[in-house]
Amino acid sequence: MAFFQKNHLLQAIILVSAASLVACGGDDGKDGKDGVAINGVDGTNGVDGTNGVDGTNGVDGTNGVDGNTASIKFVGVAAPATDAEKREILVSQAVVNGKIYGGEYNVFARSGDVISGVAFGQLVDKAGTVLTEGDGSARVSNSNEYTSLLPIGDKLFSVSQFEDRPGAMFLMELDQNAEDGALSVKSLAQIDQSGIDGGWVHCAGSVTPWTTHLASEEYEPDAKSQPTNVEAAANGYSAPMLDYYANATEWNPYFYGWNIEVVVAEDASVTTAKHYAMGRLAFELSYVMPDSKTTYMTDDGTNVGLYMFVADTAGDLSAGTTYAAKWNQTDSTGVGAADLTWISLGHATDAEINDYIHGTNGKTKATFNDIFESEAPVADACSAGFTSISANGVGQECLKVKAGMEKVASRLETRRYAAMLGATTEFRKEEGITYDSKRHKMYVGMSNVAKSMLAGTSGDVGGPDHMQLDAENKCGAIYQMDLGPDSVIGSNYVALNMYGLVAGRPVSASDPQVIGFEAKNSCHIDGISEPDNVTYISGYDMLVIGEDTGSGHQNDAIWAYDFVEKELTRIQTTPYGSETTSPYWYPNINGWSYMTSVVQHPYGESDSDQDSGAGEARAYTGYIGPFPAVNVQ
């Protein structure tokens, strides 16, 4: 769809480097006439003397001139103002070391596109049969989500996932133009998830340091209220998942809410694994740190937590210890600040937890009632022996873990168990997370600073009320976390604190909206609104912030935050009613950098009356770039 100018990044490296004899006379002659004097033969040289003491060092020379550093400057795009602009994907050009790149959105595929005989976004049942709508047409999802870039051997692949029920994943083999870095799809195949009980609501994702695709399952079904297919069928969100099974009684709420690792081989074969050892949450995104052991896991929803997993072995997520954060507040103003402590939820392996999900190796399939005793609170209080919590967005609960079920509780009911141990489950709409290698920091998006994050709200009833912020910010914020070593946890990537970096700007009398954007923009048009996923542009040193907003901005945007200037630049906008999902930065793939970007459900979240019905509502999966590659240490 798009073409762009190209150039290679010049780098200069300057290297600078530097680099006694005596003779004896002859013997006297006999007395007589004076003879002619004749010189004797020269004697041999004497033995060399010892070396003298070294002199003092000379004065240091002046420093050499620094070599060129990579830089990127986005030109920016204006907020869509006309109807035509509000239907388009607008993308900023970027200046890289004086050359212009980008300015276009490059499409891999739109939902419904047929490639290699496969409709991109089609949903299938356990047998691989395409599901159908009431009118007999194929069920095709417009909930495109994260798409990865995976250089495997001499090939380049992308795993693209869909945020639906049942979930779907597709493998694309890509062609990379050797001259200009442009990417195109060579083939498309549906990934079979029947071996892992099917997929569920695949939200954001990431690429591990060992080049595998790490997918998520968001908004896990509540096992307390939906233990069987009967309750699931009555739940509008869960009911579509029952179409996946040959028999709806196969439903098990503990099948879903996991991290899924997708391993692609050069021959395009794919293996998938749900990592039960890490825990079960409403996963927005899990991000593996450079040590290949420490993983941060974000939890989307109301009354949710922040989690960390430390694997036993680098590059292996099948066994390790899970931790939950406790917010120790140090500032209640703005979006707040806190020191963090990490509460251990214990160690587990995939194999151990699998037995309790599938009833293998002599274990019985666990239900909520097998794990907990529960009772209804009376006057906001629980009986002796029960722990009062407020987690999962379901209000106050009184729970007691049954004897011997602590490990099962820690993984099948991770959020509830964390709350029982004193971790904070008061975050609201916790979204994407990314690592800044230059500053050794993490950044996490919080779509709303609201509800249980504030002091004394209804969501705090039954919980410890760790978060007591002064005021709501419905436009959300980006938080930063300083990292450091922790010898007990066994990681050099442990978050020490949490405080604001960028905050949204709710429209008010003191911060009025830009003229012309008053309608359907409750957040200032020149600020972020309900930030979703974030990605650090390593090498070029910028933070990219995507939005998932409803009334905050009529057209969602992607922003680039400049750490030096502390300024935001709008670099992409999306059509009416769509969401920007999972922008993700790839610093160097065969000499080029890319940012993948997905536009989900156009005309779906708002402005459905603007849909012409001519295919505009099909979602987009693609990328921005390429840009010159940067090497990241």
Side-chain angles (χ1 to χ4, degrees):
M1 169 181 276
F3 300 89
F4 35 79
Q5 295 179 318
K6 40 191 188 298
N7 193 16
H8 62 277
L9 178 64
L10 300 179
Q11 297 179 326
I13 302 172
I14 301 175
L15 302 176
V16 181
S17 60
S20 322
L21 299 174
V22 297
C24 299
D27 295 334
D28 293 339
K30 294 180 180 180
D31 293 340
K33 296 180 180 179
D34 293 336
V36 179
I38 302 173
N39 290 332
V41 179
D42 291 342
T44 58
N45 293 334
V47 178
D48 292 342
T50 58
N51 293 330
V53 178
D54 290 342
T56 57
N57 292 331
V59 178
D60 290 342
T62 57
N63 292 330
V65 178
D66 289 340
N68 293 333
T69 57
S71 66
I72 191 168
K73 179 68 174 178
F74 288 99
V75 176
V77 294
T82 67
D83 178 68
E85 291 171 344
K86 292 178 180 182
R87 296 179 184 277
E88 297 180 37
I89 300 175
L90 304 177
V91 176
S92 170
Q93 290 183 322
V95 180
V96 181
N97 294 339
K99 303 294 183 182
I100 298 175
Y101 297 85
E104 299 285 347
Y105 183 78
N106 305 282
V107 178
F108 287 146
R110 295 186 67 180
S111 51
D113 283 350
V114 177
I115 303 171
S116 306
V118 176
F120 189 53
Q122 67 183 19
L123 304 182
V124 299
D125 65 15
K126 190 173 182 179
T129 303
V130 178
L131 297 173
T132 56
E133 303 288 6
D135 62 1
S137 63
R139 189 185 299 181
V140 175
S141 175
N142 288 318
S143 294
N144 307 32
E145 244 290 351
Y146 175 67
T147 195
S148 59
L149 297 181
L150 304 172
I152 307 293
D154 292 328
K155 295 182 179 180
L156 180 60
F157 295 97
S158 175
V159 173
S160 193
Q161 60 196 45
F162 281 70
E163 190 176 11
D164 220 318
R165 301 159 319 285
M169 293 188 194
F170 297 85
L171 179 67
M172 293 184 278
E173 184 178 349
L174 303 177
D175 179 72
Q176 184 182 40
N177 187 294
E179 296 297 321
D180 59 17
L183 302 177
S184 57
V185 179
K186 294 175 65 175
S187 63
L188 178 72
Q190 188 130 24
I191 294 175
D192 178 15
Q193 297 190 74
S194 62
I196 53 172
D197 307 306
W200 167 279
V201 193
H202 302 308
C203 195
S206 63
V207 174
T208 66
W210 54 96
T211 319
T212 59
H213 178 104
L214 192 58
S216 62
E217 291 185 315
E218 192 181 40
Y219 302 139
E220 82 284 15
D222 181 23
K224 182 180 182 181
S225 62
Q226 301 177 59
T228 74
N229 63 292
V230 175
E231 297 83 12
N235 182 285
Y237 196 78
S238 297
M241 190 68 208
L242 300 179
D243 294 337
Y244 182 75
Y245 312 110
N247 188 324
T249 59
E250 294 180 54
W251 165 264
N252 180 349
Y254 290 133
F255 283 165
Y256 309 113
W258 306 102
N259 286 308
I260 305 174
E261 187 173 11
V262 183
V263 182
V264 180
E266 191 172 4
D267 65 359
S269 59
V270 175
T271 57
T272 57
K274 290 189 177 181
H275 285 306
Y276 307 124
M278 302 178 80
R280 177 175 172 266
L281 298 164
F283 284 111
E284 173 74 21
L285 172 67
S286 292
Y287 190 100
V288 184
M289 304 303 284
D291 65 354
S292 296
K293 294 179 67 176
T294 308
T295 302
Y296 281 89
M297 306 182 293
T298 57
D299 188 17
D300 196 353
T302 299
N303 283 95
V304 294
L306 176 64
Y307 303 86
M308 176 177 61
F309 176 77
V310 180
D312 293 348
T313 305
D316 182 356
L317 301 176
S318 67
T321 302
T322 297
Y323 299 84
K326 180 184 177 186
W327 171 278
N328 304 292
Q329 188 161 293
T330 58
D331 188 357
S332 64
T333 63
V335 299
D339 295 327
L340 299 179
T341 52
W342 291 93
I343 296 172
S344 175
L345 307 187
H347 182 276
T349 69
D350 285 355
E352 288 175 317
I353 305 305
N354 177 73
D355 288 343
Y356 287 94
I357 296 171
H358 295 100
T360 51
N361 293 318
K363 300 294 191 298
T364 301
K365 291 182 182 180
T367 67
F368 181 89
N369 290 332
D370 292 329
I371 301 170
F372 297 110
E373 292 181 42
S374 63
E375 67 172 21
V378 177
D380 299 336
C382 302
S383 301
F386 286 82
T387 301
S388 176
I389 66 168
S390 182
N392 286 44
V394 296
Q396 184 182 12
E397 295 181 285
C398 299
L399 300 177
K400 180 193 297 185
V401 179
K402 292 186 176 180
M405 297 299 283
E406 291 81 5
K407 181 174 290 192
V408 180
S410 76
R411 295 317 194 262
L412 297 190
E413 293 287 349
T414 304
R415 191 184 305 106
R416 284 182 166 112
Y417 187 69
M420 294 180 73
L421 295 189
T424 299
T425 54
E426 298 170 25
F427 296 104
R428 162 69 179 158
K429 293 297 294 176
E430 183 183 272
E431 306 289 354
I433 194 165
T434 192
Y435 173 62
D436 176 347
S437 55
K438 180 176 180 178
R439 296 167 185 81
H440 198 44
K441 289 186 177 187
M442 299 289 292
Y443 306 108
V444 61
M446 207 74 65
S447 281
N448 301 144
V449 178
K451 296 192 176 181
S452 52
M453 296 178 72
L454 308 182
T457 65
S458 59
D460 295 320
V461 175
D465 200 12
H466 292 152
M467 304 189 75
Q468 299 189 15
L469 305 188
D470 294 340
E472 176 187 57
N473 187 331
K474 62 184 179 182
C475 301
I478 302 297
Y479 288 84
Q480 54 190 324
M481 295 177 281
D482 298 316
L483 306 182
D486 188 309
S487 59
V488 175
I489 290 176
S491 172
N492 291 325
Y493 294 87
V494 177
L496 307 174
N497 50 29
M498 192 169 176
Y499 53 106
L501 176 71
V502 182
R505 298 165 56 186
V507 172
S508 65
S510 60
D511 192 9
Q513 186 58 275
V514 174
I515 294 174
F517 291 94
E518 296 89 349
K520 298 188 177 182
N521 291 291
S522 61
C523 297
H524 199 284
I525 200 68
D526 291 329
I528 62 172
S529 175
E530 298 182 89
D532 190 45
N533 274 284
V534 292
T535 187
Y536 176 64
I537 306 185
S538 51
Y540 290 122
D541 192 33
M542 283 190 152
L543 181 67
V544 166
I545 303 168
E547 294 181 346
D548 175 11
T549 183
S551 62
H553 286 162
Q554 184 177 28
N555 293 83
D556 287 20
I558 295 179
W559 303 85
Y561 178 74
D562 187 315
F563 290 99
V564 176
E565 301 296 333
K566 300 186 186 307
E567 292 180 348
L568 289 163
T569 300
R570 188 185 300 102
I571 64 172
Q572 182 185 332
T573 64
T574 62
Y576 288 117
S578 57
E579 171 189 342
T580 71
T581 64
S582 297
Y584 202 89
W585 177 252
Y586 298 86
N588 190 346
I589 295 181
N590 302 320
W592 296 97
S593 298
Y594 304 87
M595 189 180 80
T596 52
S597 173
V598 176
V599 179
Q600 189 181 89
H601 56 61
Y603 306 89
E605 217 166 46
S606 64
D607 295 297
S608 58
D609 59 325
Q610 299 297 322
D611 182 7
S612 68
E616 289 180 293
R618 295 191 302 136
Y620 302 77
T621 295
Y623 70 96
I624 297 172
F627 309 101
V630 284
N631 292 315
V632 180
Q633 298 301 316

